[in-house]
Amino acid sequence: MEEVQRHSVHTLVFRSLKRTHDFFVANQSLLPEIDEKMEKQKFNIKARDTYGLVFDRAAKAKALAAKRGDSDRSDGVNGVKDGVLAITAGEQEGIVPDGTNTQTALVPASTPVSQNTTNAVQILPKKAPTIPKPKWHAPWKLCRVISGHLGWVRCVAVEPGNEWFATGAADRVIKIWDLASGKLKLSLTGHVSTVRALSVSPRHPYLFSCGEDRQVKCWDLEYNKVIRHYHGHLSAVYTMSLHPTIDVLVTAGRDSTARVWDMRTKANIHTLTGHTNTVASVVTQAANPQIITGSHDSTVRLWDLAAGKSMCTLTNHKKSVRAIVLHPSLYMFASASPDNIKQWRCPEGNFIQNLSGHNSIVNCMAVNPEGVLVSGGDNGTMFFWDWRTGYNFQRFQAAVQPGSMDSEAGIFSMTFDQSGSRLITTEADKTIKIYKEDDEATEESHPINWRPEIIKRRKY
């Protein structure tokens, strides 16, 4: 058996070219004769197709010029007057058959154009951008401190009826508190690690919880028992959100994914992958995009729930995004990072403005129907903002419980009650604090310190 000789690619390509050349070289110069009549016909068809409108106008202009020339010769006047531009477009453009110029005639080439002609475009001075004045909001003050947890209180959720709220903590216990009196009503045990997120269903008697034990639980509040588990997360589950209109639960955590669950069947409908680090916050809304996630990879992603795919990735933040909050009435949301709090417009995620001032990690945010946005920092600072203008009308340091260290001043979560008149925060000093507006404050006692020139310089 003969051994096949191997050739380089260059040799094989060259041989193929040579064979092709030898095959076609005999009749290379035997091109068909050009039919001049057909070539002319082809040229006319292409010209008519491309420039037909111009040909028609040129023919009309020639006919009009011929008609005008005949009338001028009969009157003993030259067909074209000196000083008039040669471009005309009929009688209505300025030259009537008797050869005289009307008011709309094209001006002579030697005459300068007047600034008072109707064709002159007047440039109006640009109006200076106006900065809206922020709405006055009453300052907030601490009205109650609730103790009872034995570890950092990591999450809070208010019941839709506004009668009680639930908190979860590092002591692995979920506690139910009376909102009016602040008294403990119930303790739920079942998690074996820190409880990181809670959510109460507005349509069912269900409380959902998740934690660092990778468990997602559904509690039946009529029996105070766990009735469902949602298995699938590979690591700690840090955040959750219930869809407002359909029976869907979204959870996310340290495995860099957000999982969409059918509340009834416990089926994992979608696993939303794309983030490259821990997903720290997730919110859902009825309109598209229905899911928004914020991650430690410094990005915010907007997801299409039906397709289970990412629609948009916002990369404006420079550091971890730990909190996202939806406005209750406007089609907007805000995302928080140590560099800035940023406001966006749905559904494309159009950037609106920056809210600057925090010099620490921002763990949580909450907004009420009055347009008060609150942000809580890892060092215990709380900032109150006017949502529309981004004006920071109040800031203070949350007081730690007596006996606690200063390092235990962090705020981990916050939410407004259903009326928007009370703010509940959970903190690192193992307490729950409730704030409300100062009823005695007025616009005179707490005026708006509004300096638009500084705001303008910061924004633009």
Side-chain angles (χ1 to χ4, degrees), residues 22 33 57 87 127 162 183-184 244 259 279 282 288 291 322 325 340 348 379 391 395 434 456 458:
D22 294 342
E33 295 182 3
R57 289 188 177 181
I87 303 172
K127 192 175 181 181
N162 215 35
K183 293 181 179 179
L184 180 65
R259 294 179 183 266
V279 182
V282 61
N288 286 329
I291 300 176
R322 293 172 183 256
V325 66
N340 275 310
E348 290 87 10
N379 58 358
Y391 170 67
R395 62 177 70 179
I434 300 179
K456 181 179 177 182
R458 190 181 73 211

Side-chain angles (χ1 to χ4, degrees), residues 198-338:
L198 295 169
S199 188
V200 185
S201 173
R203 297 189 305 278
H204 312 287
Y206 295 155
L207 168 69
F208 294 87
S209 65
C210 63
E212 295 180 5
D213 52 8
R214 298 181 292 180
Q215 296 186 43
V216 181
K217 296 175 182 286
C218 175
W219 303 79
D220 189 329
L221 296 174
E222 293 178 349
Y223 300 96
N224 299 330
K225 291 181 180 179
V226 177
I227 58 171
R228 294 188 192 96
H229 286 90
Y230 302 90
H231 297 287
H233 277 286
L234 306 177
S235 190
V237 189
Y238 285 165
T239 180
M240 65 172 16
S241 178
L242 280 170
H243 195 278
T245 55
I246 56 179
D247 290 344
V248 161
L249 171 70
V250 185
T251 59
R254 208 166 62 194
D255 57 4
S256 307
T257 65
R259 294 179 183 266
V260 184
W261 310 91
D262 186 327
M263 190 188 298
R264 297 283 187 179
T265 65
K266 303 180 287 185
N268 188 183
I269 304 169
H270 294 304
T271 301
L272 308 178
T273 58
H275 284 294
T276 58
N277 208 329
T278 300
V279 182
S281 182
V282 61
V283 293
T284 55
Q285 59 183 9
N288 286 329
Q290 290 141 324
I291 300 176
I292 305 170
T293 56
S295 170
H296 287 196
D297 62 9
S298 307
T299 64
V300 177
R301 283 182 179 258
L302 286 67
W303 306 84
D304 182 3
L305 177 56
K309 294 180 180 178
S310 175
M311 297 171 57
C312 178
T313 303
L314 309 176
T315 59
N316 302 46
H317 283 291
K318 299 181 180 66
K319 296 184 179 180
S320 300
V321 182
R322 293 172 183 256
I324 292 177
V325 66
L326 289 170
H327 193 281
S329 57
L330 300 177
Y331 200 33
M332 298 171 64
F333 69 95
S335 58
S337 178

Side-chain angles (χ1 to χ4, degrees), residues 139-215:
W140 292 68
K141 64 179 182 179
L142 179 66
C143 67
R144 178 176 285 125
V145 178
I146 302 171
S147 299
H149 280 291
L150 302 178
W152 289 356
V153 192
R154 301 300 303 242
C155 52
V156 60
V158 180
E159 177 252 343
N162 215 35
E163 295 180 358
W164 52 266
F165 66 94
T167 57
D171 59 5
R172 310 182 297 279
V173 180
I174 300 169
K175 290 182 180 288
I176 310 293
W177 310 86
D178 185 74
L179 185 58
S181 63
K183 293 181 179 179
L184 180 65
K185 298 178 70 173
L186 184 69
S187 293
L188 302 174
T189 57
H191 281 281
V192 295
S193 190
T194 303
V195 182
R196 292 296 294 260
L198 295 169
S199 188
V200 185
S201 173
R203 297 189 305 278
H204 312 287
Y206 295 155
L207 168 69
F208 294 87
S209 65
C210 63
E212 295 180 5
D213 52 8
R214 298 181 292 180
Q215 296 186 43

Side-chain angles (χ1 to χ4, degrees), residues 5-24:
Q5 186 179 1
R6 295 183 179 180
H7 297 282
S8 66
V9 175
H10 179 271
T11 303
L12 295 173
V13 171
F14 181 77
R15 282 184 179 179
S16 176
L17 287 174
K18 188 174 183 303
R19 288 185 188 128
T20 306
H21 175 268
D22 294 342
F23 187 77
F24 292 105

